[in-house]
Amino acid sequence: MRELPGEGLAHPLALTGIRWHRARAGWLRRPGALIGISIAVPMTLLLVIRFRSEVAATLSNVPAPSWPWLVVCGLASALFFLANALALRAASGLPLRLPTAAGVQLAAAAANRVLPAGLGAIAVNVHYLERQQLTRSAGLSAVAAVKVAVALAHVAGIVLVAGLVGGRGPALGTPIGPITRHVGSGPALACVAGCLLGCVAVGGHPRVRARLGPPLTAAGRHLLLLARSPRRTAILLASAAGTKIAQIVALASCVWAFNGSGSMLSIATIYLIGAAVAGAVPTAGNVGALEPALALGLTAAGGEAASMLAAVLVYRLISYWLPVLPGAATLTTLRRRNVL
């Protein structure tokens, strides 16, 4: 496989992070971008100065977090990457070394912070599987199998919490009620319908069908082989469920760190429904969509607004943003070892 000169990476998608940095550098040199920054920064400072008393009063009501619960959040976030590594090993069918595969997931998380829809993680994982002598179509199939398993685990989780809630019907609608009141059901349904129509229109184009037909056929064969292995399928589904459990435990730990009184069941309900609603927003990691969804859900479930917002922000800081630096360092190390 021919590598691009000076890059050292064979897979085109694996260059996404490098190209993004170059594009960002070019973007910052544009006059319009500089003008926008010169306007946005002073306006932000003016808003902070104008409402500093209101912000200070709100923050004064937030209790100091309990550090042991934050440690639990960090451990649960680390288990999330381990569960992802187990899922990838089961989906690929390769004897991947678990520490290396977990490091690849950490590197993929760093790449995922700059691209929407998980494209950064897909690129890193596919390139990693190619380095392990798996064909590109099989690698894409394995990554797709992980995505499908995670989606199934999410849906199964919603069904499970709905069954556990039982007669307490309003508890299931609590997380989504404030979101629909703020956003409106009409715009939400229109967004979903527009996305579906766009996918159908793009998928029906002859060029798209001709280009994606052979890879999809190969992916179908790989998934069929996976389905014929009950052990691999069971490990894949269990690992996908483990990623959801790790995220729920991390969120619950932060809620309890700020003296939240929500039960594990209610927090799981809020996370699963809030993440499903925020998933419709095409941003990297649902940034800007998941935070208000979770904060609104936790507040509607009985939490104090400022404390629940702080809990969500700390949860996102620990589980989403803190892995960026070690992930970037791991990415560099794995590239030097020719793992990526």
Side-chain angles (χ1 to χ4, degrees):
M1 187 178 299
R2 183 177 65 87
E3 295 188 354
L4 296 179
E7 300 292 356
L9 290 176
H11 198 290
L13 286 176
L15 301 176
T16 307
I18 299 172
R19 291 171 179 168
W20 181 83
H21 285 296
R22 292 174 178 172
R24 182 180 63 174
W27 179 82
L28 289 175
R29 288 194 294 265
R30 297 178 183 177
L34 295 177
I35 294 174
I37 293 173
S38 64
I39 295 175
V41 171
M43 288 297 294
T44 303
L45 292 176
L46 287 175
L47 289 174
V48 171
I49 294 173
R50 168 64 180 81
F51 296 105
R52 65 184 183 278
S53 59
E54 290 84 348
V55 173
T58 301
L59 294 178
S60 64
N61 297 325
V62 177
S66 175
W67 292 105
W69 282 119
L70 298 185
V71 173
V72 174
C73 177
L75 293 175
S77 301
L79 290 177
F80 169 79
F81 297 108
L82 181 62
N84 263 327
L86 286 170
L88 185 66
R89 185 166 70 175
S92 65
L94 298 175
L96 304 176
R97 293 185 67 252
L98 195 56
T100 303
V104 170
Q105 301 314 303
L106 189 60
N112 221 26
R113 298 305 177 255
V114 296
L115 292 173
L119 293 179
I122 292 173
V124 172
N125 280 313
V126 171
H127 187 62
Y128 168 60
L129 294 178
E130 283 188 308
R131 288 284 190 177
Q132 305 304 311
Q133 308 306 315
L134 203 66
T135 63
R136 182 171 300 180
S137 60
L140 287 169
S141 303
V143 174
V146 173
K147 296 289 185 182
V148 171
V150 170
L152 290 176
H154 200 111
V155 174
I158 293 177
V159 174
L160 178 62
V161 297
L164 293 176
V165 167
R168 295 167 290 172
L172 189 63
T174 295
I176 200 170
I179 301 171
T180 55
R181 284 196 299 270
H182 282 76
V183 177
S185 58
L189 292 176
C191 179
V192 172
C195 292
L196 291 176
L197 290 175
C199 292
V200 171
V202 172
H205 196 278
R207 290 184 179 178
V208 175
R209 290 202 307 269
R211 189 174 184 84
L212 295 182
L216 289 178
T217 301
R221 289 196 297 266
H222 182 84
L223 294 177
L224 184 61
L225 291 174
L226 175 63
R228 291 175 179 173
S229 175
R231 179 176 176 273
R232 285 173 55 195
T233 303
I235 295 175
L236 173 60
L237 294 176
S239 301
T243 62
K244 296 301 173 182
I245 294 173
Q247 290 169 325
I248 292 170
V249 171
L251 176 60
S253 301
C254 287
V255 171
W256 297 333
F258 285 90
N259 297 332
S261 58
S263 65
M264 181 65 79
L265 177 59
S266 65
I267 293 173
T269 305
I270 290 166
Y271 170 79
L272 291 170
I273 297 180
V277 173
V281 180
T283 60
N286 298 328
V287 173
L290 184 60
E291 293 86 355
L294 295 179
L296 287 171
L298 292 169
T299 303
E304 201 277 325
S307 297
M308 293 303 96
L309 178 59
V312 171
L313 293 179
V314 171
Y315 157 70
R316 291 289 276 172
L317 174 65
I318 295 175
S319 65
Y320 187 82
W321 292 112
L322 282 186
V324 171
L325 290 179
T330 303
L331 179 62
T332 303
T333 301
L334 293 176
R335 287 191 60 194
R336 288 175 179 171
R337 292 168 48 191
N338 291 325
V339 176
L340 291 175

